[in-house]
Every structure is written in C-alpha cells, then in structure tokens.
C-alpha cells in the first residue's frame, strides 16, 4: 500500500484505529536511550526514591520553565 493510499484511508478509520496507527508509527521510530542516558535516568530515579522531597510539583516546574524561557 502506498503512502497516498494510506493517507486516503485515514478518514475511514475509527479514532481507536488512528490512535493505534500513531502508536505503532512511534514504536517503529523509538530507538531507546543511549546506555549513558539510561544510566543517568536510573541514577536520578534512585536519588528521587531516596529523597522524594527533592522533587517539585509539576505546576511549579512549568512556572519556572516559562519564566526561564519567557513564554
């Protein structure tokens, strides 16, 4: 099936089918983290588990980022 045919068929798909299509496309592009990035994520998660109070609420983080980047 060509890309043009796939695009033509999109409107006939249900919302659930389109969501599955998007998820599958994203899975195909997901190359995962580099080993050093994975180690960093795991290390930071470990730090957080040791001291959960070190985290800040999401809304506070959004506010800080908006201020930093003036959005």
């Amino acid at each position: 099936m060509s890309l043009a045919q796939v695009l033509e068929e999109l409107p006939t798909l249900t919302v659930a089918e389109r969501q599955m299509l998007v998820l599958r496309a994203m899975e195909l592009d997901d190359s995962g983290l580099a080993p050093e990035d994975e180690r960093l994520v795991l290390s930071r998660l470990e730090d957080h588990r040791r001291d959960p109070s070190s985290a800040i609420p999401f809304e506070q983080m959004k506010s800080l980022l908006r201020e930093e980047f003036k959005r």
Side-chain angles (χ1 to χ4, degrees):
M1 182 177 266
S2 72
L3 178 59
Q5 290 170 314
V6 170
L7 294 174
E8 189 177 311
E9 290 295 317
L10 282 177
T12 68
L13 299 176
T14 66
V15 171
E17 290 170 331
R18 288 193 305 268
Q19 289 173 338
M20 286 177 17
L21 182 65
V22 169
L23 288 173
R24 181 64 180 124
M26 289 171 50
E27 287 172 359
L28 292 172
D29 286 343
D30 185 13
S31 60
L33 294 174
E36 59 273 12
D37 294 332
E38 187 169 348
R39 282 191 297 276
L40 178 61
V41 168
L42 292 174
S43 169
R44 289 184 178 176
L45 181 58
E46 209 173 286
D47 291 345
H48 172 69
R49 286 185 175 143
R50 272 195 292 275
D51 182 14
S53 68
S54 65
I56 63 172
F58 178 67
E59 291 301 321
Q60 184 180 351
M61 176 53 82
K62 280 192 336 188
S63 177
L64 290 169
L65 289 171
R66 283 191 177 116
E67 181 62 31
E68 178 74 22
F69 297 102
K70 302 289 185 200
R71 285 190 177 188

